[in-house]
Amino acid sequence: MTGKQKIRDRIRQLREMTSARGCTEAEALAAAEKAAKLMHDHGLSEADIVMEEKRSGRAGAGKAIRAKLWPVIATCTNTAPIILEDATGTTVSFIGVTPGPDIAVYLRDVCERALDRSIREFKAGKFYRRRRGLASKRAAVADFSAGFVNRLSYRLIDTFRPVMDRAARDTAIATRDQRYSGSVSVAPLSAPLRHNEARAAGWIAGKDVTLAHGVGGSAAPLQIGGGS
């Protein structure tokens, strides 16, 4: 967690110290004053405080085929994604109004675990085992992954359409671009179709992934970042 992230979290905690939550008026006033001073001292705006940022687990290369899922997940949860690299490795971070970032992290974990599991099953099948060269095997996995990712992308959009909010997403993107002003865009790979059967198998496998709306697997869509 970065120093600014710790400050933002501290300010949120202070702003939650209200009389409605059991604090005395004096305590609530002191907390509000301290929160305002921290915002002033660190040059933080209201958007900086409202917008949360949650990092998901380690990620592969930003150009990997599975990376196409990350902006789709961000769109569905009204968040903005960014790939972060530091001494510990590469992670994907989602920025937006709660509970969007938490749901985005949850969805990425669900989708990528499902993809990894499906790839293992695909490699155990006859089509993959019939590929003779390493290049052919890699191309088959790439085609399978592309089909899987495409199917999941359509399903995610269909599932989350009721809570997708363009204005909330635009605000999240603006906040991301301000926090990470030196960032550059990375375009995921587009795998040339070499094995239609493998891509079709990935498309079919993507149908069976269970997609829940919330971190706890709630059945009903959540209000994410202003979605209605």
Side-chain angles (χ1 to χ4, degrees):
M1 183 181 292
T2 65
K4 276 214 167 185
Q5 183 64 44
K6 290 180 180 178
I7 294 297
R8 284 193 288 268
D9 289 344
R10 177 57 180 154
I11 292 171
R12 291 191 193 101
Q13 291 171 358
L14 288 167
R15 289 171 61 152
E16 289 175 356
M17 294 177 62
T18 63
S19 55
R21 291 176 178 244
C23 296
T24 65
E25 289 188 9
E27 290 171 337
L29 180 59
E33 290 176 346
K34 187 169 184 179
K37 186 176 187 307
L38 284 172
M39 289 178 67
H40 178 270
D41 291 346
H42 294 274
L44 296 173
S45 66
E46 184 69 20
D48 288 319
I49 305 307
V50 172
M51 292 287 171
E52 290 194 327
E53 181 173 348
K54 294 295 175 72
R55 292 192 183 190
S56 62
R58 292 200 173 192
K63 291 188 176 182
I65 292 172
R66 67 181 59 208
K68 289 184 176 182
L69 277 172
W70 306 342
V72 174
I73 289 172
T75 296
C76 291
T77 56
N78 301 324
T79 61
I82 186 165
I83 302 168
L84 302 173
E85 295 183 355
D86 55 29
T88 63
T90 303
T91 58
V92 183
S93 189
F94 294 92
I95 300 168
V97 176
T98 186
D102 282 317
I103 297 175
V105 169
Y106 163 79
L107 285 173
R108 179 180 171 247
D109 182 63
V110 168
C111 292
E112 296 212 17
R113 284 178 184 271
L115 176 57
D116 290 338
R117 182 174 62 252
S118 295
I119 288 174
R120 290 194 297 270
E121 293 172 354
F122 173 69
K123 286 182 175 181
K126 291 181 180 180
F127 182 86
Y128 179 83
R129 289 189 283 111
R130 286 201 304 264
R131 304 303 101 198
R132 294 188 179 277
L134 180 59
S136 181
K137 288 181 180 291
R138 285 178 174 171
V141 171
D143 279 320
F144 178 88
S145 299
F148 190 97
V149 166
N150 287 342
R151 185 63 174 272
L152 268 189
S153 295
Y154 282 113
R155 291 188 57 215
L156 282 165
I157 291 172
D158 284 343
T159 300
F160 284 84
R161 195 182 304 278
V163 294
M164 289 165 56
D165 186 311
R166 180 61 182 270
R169 167 130 170 92
D170 286 346
T171 301
I173 291 173
T175 302
R176 178 200 62 190
D177 293 345
Q178 182 181 29
R179 289 185 187 178
Y180 299 96
S181 57
S183 61
V184 296
S185 298
V186 177
L189 292 173
S190 294
L193 178 60
R194 293 184 56 184
H195 300 292
N196 187 65
E197 185 176 339
R199 191 161 296 194
W203 175 270
I204 293 170
K207 176 179 70 71
D208 297 327
V209 180
T210 300
L211 297 176
H213 294 80
V215 178
S218 61
L222 298 177
Q223 296 297 97
I224 307 170
S228 58

